[in-house]
Amino acid sequence: MSDLASEDMVKRPKTGWLSPMNARRWKNFKANRRGYWSLWIFLFLFILSLFAEFVANDKPIIASYKGEILFPVVVDYPEEKFGGFLAVTDYRSDFIQEEIEANGWMIWPPIRYSYRTINSNVPYSAPTPPFWLMTKEERCAGYPDGVDDPGCNLGNMDWLGTDDLARDVLARVIYGFRISVLFGLLLTGFSAVIGVTAGAVQGYFGGWVDLLMQRFIEIWSSLPTLYILLIIAAILPPGFFVLLGVMLVFSWVSFVAVVRAEFLRARNFEYVRAARALGVGNGTIMFRHLLPNAMVATLTFVPFILSGAIVTLTSLDFLGFGMPPGSPSLGELVNQGKSNLQAPWLGITAFFTLSIMLSLLVFVGEAVRDAFDPRKTFQ
């Protein structure tokens, strides 16, 4: 008997680190080619934005000065190190660049502007168009030696033009993309924790607990969220975490209904009754046995809620109640496009950035929905 059991174990197919059900779900997800490639494109853009300081910055990534290796991108060196007198080194100044080049070398990021860097070499008053819409003489007109100036190089060109404060639009898009996605991920994650917990408590216990919490959620959901957000944002000092906390107060409600319905449906199943008969605690039943089944329906909403959080942040920034002034913001870029109709590259850049970001998230959401569709998972 033991020989047969061991032989059966040897012939048992390996499922890898995924369970058979999750393996089928991943196969269904990959079958949706649009959603599958959208996920990889979105991850690539997001990971790239996480290293924005190494892609777009007004500081060199690495420099050698008098035999010493420096990392200006991560360390703020005082200017006295290079013979100056300022507290923070301005690596774009001609004096600092000539001093370092005479005593070493520098490796710059592909884009030599940060989101707050003001380009003092624009050919005329900002906003200025992308460099590829101008002749070489035009885009180098702001440099002392014109086309022969060593500063008029590809790294100092504005690929998407500048805004009305002469800041590089591409650099602000990269940093703004990072803030938008991080804000959306944090808001969605915290909202899921609160909303799933509230829905689980409602659906599992039912009765008066469900009734009272449901009436509270109905009243809370009927409040004019946007107006309250505007009032609170106008009173509190602007900031990333202040805005995150204010929006979290309302965003968790979107998860409650789905989780509550799943718990109401599954709380009287046979395995739940068996667990109660064995003396298993309510917390264990809720979060170990019922929650995994409820999360199947919840996960399909996450990409859409994430895109909604990004749109909300963009809307508040557009109205001036979002991130602090000067922060890289897609909503602020939309507002600049509205205020500078003579500079169409601002509005076009904001439109395509938001369209691509939200489209990728919607495509991923559709693929996740197909992956967790029971008609495809259990066929």
Side-chain angles (χ1 to χ4, degrees):
M1 188 68 179
S2 60
D3 294 338
L4 292 175
S6 61
E7 184 179 353
D8 182 64
M9 291 178 63
V10 171
K11 293 181 179 180
R12 186 176 300 170
K14 296 181 179 180
T15 58
W17 59 278
L18 289 175
S19 65
M21 181 179 296
N22 288 330
R24 288 195 295 271
R25 288 169 177 165
W26 176 245
K27 182 179 178 181
N28 292 334
F29 181 85
K30 292 176 64 176
N32 189 322
R33 306 302 295 175
R34 184 174 62 183
Y36 176 73
W37 286 109
S38 295
L39 174 64
W40 286 112
I41 294 173
F42 182 82
L43 288 177
F44 171 77
L45 295 175
F46 177 54
I47 293 173
L48 183 67
S49 70
L50 291 179
F51 297 93
E53 286 78 9
F54 296 89
V55 178
N57 209 329
D58 53 6
K59 302 176 182 178
I61 299 176
I62 185 173
S64 174
Y65 181 69
K66 295 182 178 180
E68 181 182 2
I69 301 299
L70 307 175
F71 298 93
V73 72
V74 293
V75 179
D76 288 329
Y77 298 102
E79 198 175 73
E80 62 181 3
K81 189 176 189 66
F82 308 102
F85 56 88
L86 297 178
V88 180
T89 304
D90 180 13
Y91 294 93
R92 292 185 56 84
S93 70
D94 295 335
F95 167 75
I96 296 298
Q97 292 191 32
E98 292 173 0
E99 175 68 19
I100 295 179
E101 292 291 348
N103 297 276
W105 45 264
M106 293 184 293
I107 298 179
W108 285 87
I111 303 170
R112 300 187 183 185
Y113 301 100
S114 181
Y115 66 90
R116 60 181 179 271
T117 307
I118 296 178
N119 186 358
S120 59
N121 300 113
V122 290
Y124 44 83
S125 60
T128 55
F131 81 92
W132 39 271
L133 292 178
M134 298 183 288
T135 64
K136 188 173 182 180
E137 289 73 17
E138 287 178 330
R139 58 177 177 257
C140 295
Y143 291 89
D145 298 329
V147 294
D148 298 324
D149 196 291
C152 186
N153 52 53
L154 192 61
N156 282 322
M157 295 294 102
D158 299 301
W159 289 82
L160 297 179
T162 64
D163 62 8
D164 54 9
L165 295 179
R167 297 172 299 190
D168 186 74
V169 172
L170 180 55
R172 292 185 65 80
V173 166
I174 295 173
Y175 283 88
F177 180 89
R178 179 174 67 178
I179 287 181
S180 298
V181 176
L182 286 177
F183 184 88
L185 288 175
L186 289 175
L187 182 61
T188 304
F190 288 131
S191 300
V193 172
I194 299 174
V196 168
T197 303
V201 171
Q202 279 188 251
Y204 182 78
F205 291 103
W208 282 101
V209 174
D210 181 38
L211 182 64
L212 292 176
M213 292 185 66
Q214 193 64 19
R215 298 292 81 77
F216 169 78
I217 290 175
E218 289 175 357
I219 296 173
W220 195 252
S221 302
S222 65
L223 297 176
T225 305
L226 181 60
Y227 293 111
I228 295 177
L229 285 174
L230 294 178
I231 293 172
I232 297 177
I235 296 173
L236 297 177
F240 181 88
F241 291 102
V242 171
L243 194 60
L244 180 66
V246 171
M247 294 183 61
L248 180 61
V249 172
F250 298 97
S251 61
W252 60 272
V253 179
S254 56
F255 285 93
V256 174
V258 177
V259 180
R260 172 179 174 267
E262 290 294 322
F263 272 72
L264 283 172
R265 181 180 65 86
R267 66 175 182 169
N268 292 319
F269 282 178
E270 296 294 335
Y271 70 92
V272 176
R273 294 181 178 180
R276 288 173 179 165
L278 292 172
V280 179
N282 290 329
T284 303
I285 296 175
M286 290 171 58
F287 296 104
R288 185 174 180 180
H289 300 291
L290 290 177
L291 185 59
N293 295 326
M295 290 305 295
V296 170
T298 305
L299 287 174
T300 59
F301 289 93
V302 169
F304 303 103
I305 294 175
L306 174 60
S307 62
I310 294 174
V311 170
T312 304
L313 175 63
T314 304
S315 303
L316 290 175
D317 286 332
F318 174 78
L319 296 173
F321 294 97
M323 299 296 294
S327 300
S329 167
L330 299 179
E332 191 261 349
L333 184 60
V334 175
N335 190 28
Q336 288 215 21
K338 177 185 74 71
S339 303
N340 298 278
L341 296 179
Q342 79 282 3
W345 56 89
L346 296 175
I348 292 174
T349 299
F351 170 77
F352 277 102
T353 302
L354 288 170
S355 299
I356 293 173
M357 182 195 311
L358 298 178
S359 297
L360 291 175
L361 289 174
V362 170
F363 294 154
V364 172
E366 291 177 351
V368 172
R369 182 186 59 194
D370 292 342
F372 286 96
D373 188 349
R375 293 171 298 180
K376 297 181 179 181
T377 303
F378 298 103
Q379 66 181 2

